[in-house]
Amino acid sequence: MLNRPTRVILAALLAASLTAGCNKEKAPATTQGPAATAQQANAGEPAPDTVVATFGDGQKITYKQLNEKIQDRLSELDKQKHQLRKRGLEGMVTEALVDAEAKKRGMTQDQYLKAEIDDKVPAPPEERIKEVFEGAKGQLPPGATYEQMKPQIVDFLTQQPKQERAQALFAELRKNANVQITLPEPPRPPAERKQVAATGAAKGGGENAPITIVEFSDFQCPFCSRANASVDQVLKEYGDKVRLVFRHFPLDFHKQAPKASEAALCAGDQGKFWEMHDTLFANQQKLEVPDLKQHAADLKLDTAKFDKCLDSGEKAATVQKDLEDGKKVGVSGTPAFFINGILLSGAQPFEEFKSIIDEELKTAKK
């Protein structure tokens, strides 16, 4: 029988669920056109001129007027429904492939997944388990001993590696089975494309890469950390066809995020922006100023130069400029990705990036 963390991981990967982000308050605006209205009518909804409310001296509101008033939210709902169907479809395919592979090996699904995931992720070293225990003592129940907490700590430390192993396994199964997802994509109106300045730390392809992804992110946002796996996969899969540009969007309730952004920029002055970027996301509980300085020391930076940069606040204006630019193009939460100007909001899976990127590459060839 699989342990609980593995079941949680598999449920997250196979379930038809939507991803989210930090402070994701409002949906990106889109426009409904005549085609959408026709689809509504065909779906059995009221005709556009149907009166849905009357009041006063002969005043009325039609179904068309109602839809026009809430068109942004309706459009976002349509996008969410498509994502829900797509995640559900991918989950059904993956579950069927797991079942077939398990039967081929004479195993139950649980036995197969344990052999291919649990058993292939090594247990963390004892020193690491003790380190986590010591660091969490103040948050543990009174009297909790190391031996009592050890299984939970092991589960915690192996959850991410197990998730990564599960993703790799499922991707391999889909590749071997030549899975083709043919669910039609909803139309993407031109109004969704924004003009976003690609200024900031960059990696991947050069300035002439056919795909530019501008990421607005917050080092204290857990969803931003989760999104990194998808971004890394994009860069791996597409190579120099994709250029990633990182911009800062520290949310006001993440009090340590602005200084963390400054730390990344200060590290960038010494050629180690991305190393600091990775360190900050890997240590989101350690973003106080002393922690930031320790990260700089661990990265072998010139600590005197780094400390002066951080303490002076000289990078604060750059962070604020990114924040203002993000708000101008409709960013209200993190992470937010603009793929050639097309907004992809939240910690989305690789497939959502791929869908937009492939369409953009196809268009570029025409």
Side-chain angles (χ1 to χ4, degrees), residues 28-31 79 187-194 338 341-343:
T30 57
T31 303
K79 288 173 62 179
R188 184 176 294 115
E192 280 191 320
R193 198 181 296 271
K194 302 283 188 178
F338 289 88
I342 298 170
L343 175 62

Side-chain angles (χ1 to χ4, degrees), residues 161-283:
K162 285 180 180 179
Q163 182 172 348
E164 292 171 356
R165 170 58 194 155
Q167 289 173 334
L169 173 65
F170 297 158
E172 183 181 359
L173 291 176
R174 289 192 292 265
K175 181 180 178 181
N176 291 341
N178 192 28
V179 172
Q180 301 292 325
I181 300 296
T182 56
L183 183 68
E185 293 285 339
R188 184 176 294 115
E192 280 191 320
R193 198 181 296 271
K194 302 283 188 178
Q195 294 297 320
V196 185
T199 56
K203 65 177 178 179
E207 292 186 4
N208 294 323
I211 305 295
T212 295
I213 301 176
V214 179
E215 173 185 359
F216 286 90
S217 193
D218 174 321
F219 285 113
Q220 203 174 343
C221 170
F223 295 99
C224 297
S225 179
R226 294 177 199 173
N228 285 335
S230 296
V231 174
D232 290 344
Q233 190 173 354
V234 166
L235 294 173
K236 181 179 178 181
E237 292 283 335
Y238 291 95
D240 60 8
K241 292 180 182 177
V242 170
R243 178 174 184 248
L244 174 69
V245 178
F246 188 95
R247 301 196 67 177
H248 305 267
F249 201 87
L251 298 164
D252 55 9
F253 60 89
H254 284 160
K255 301 304 181 184
Q256 297 166 353
K259 212 63 182 175
S261 285
E262 291 180 40
L265 291 167
C266 289
D269 285 349
Q270 299 187 46
K272 289 195 175 182
F273 175 89
W274 293 106
E275 289 85 348
M276 181 62 82
H277 165 282
D278 294 346
T279 298
L280 295 174
F281 276 127
N283 296 276

Side-chain angles (χ1 to χ4, degrees), residues 94-153:
T94 301
E95 199 162 12
L97 293 174
V98 167
D99 185 58
E101 193 66 24
K103 287 178 179 177
K104 189 187 302 182
R105 300 191 189 185
M107 299 176 171
T108 65
Q109 285 192 35
D110 279 1
Q111 289 170 337
Y112 171 73
L113 292 171
K114 180 179 184 300
E116 291 297 326
I117 299 174
D118 288 54
D119 294 350
K120 293 194 174 182
V121 174
E126 196 75 18
E127 298 77 20
R128 177 58 177 148
I129 301 172
K130 290 180 179 178
E131 179 185 347
V132 173
F133 176 76
E134 292 298 327
K137 271 187 175 178
Q139 304 172 35
L140 298 179
T145 67
Y146 173 73
E147 291 304 324
Q148 289 173 332
M149 300 306 302
K150 182 177 178 179
Q152 296 180 46
I153 296 172

Side-chain angles (χ1 to χ4, degrees), residues 54-72:
T54 59
F55 55 96
D57 187 17
Q59 297 183 66
K60 61 184 181 181
I61 296 174
T62 66
Y63 190 64
K64 178 182 178 182
Q65 290 172 321
L66 171 61
N67 282 342
E68 289 174 346
K69 181 67 174 178
I70 59 173
Q71 64 180 11
D72 290 347

Side-chain angles (χ1 to χ4, degrees), residues 259 262-270 276 288-315:
K259 212 63 182 175
E262 291 180 40
L265 291 167
C266 289
D269 285 349
Q270 299 187 46
M276 181 62 82
E288 297 286 355
V289 170
D291 297 320
L292 301 176
K293 292 181 178 180
Q294 183 58 53
H295 296 327
D298 294 340
L299 291 173
K300 311 298 183 187
L301 297 179
D302 179 330
T303 54
K305 183 178 179 181
F306 177 88
D307 292 354
K308 180 181 178 182
C309 174
L310 191 65
D311 292 338
S312 69
E314 65 180 73
K315 301 298 183 183

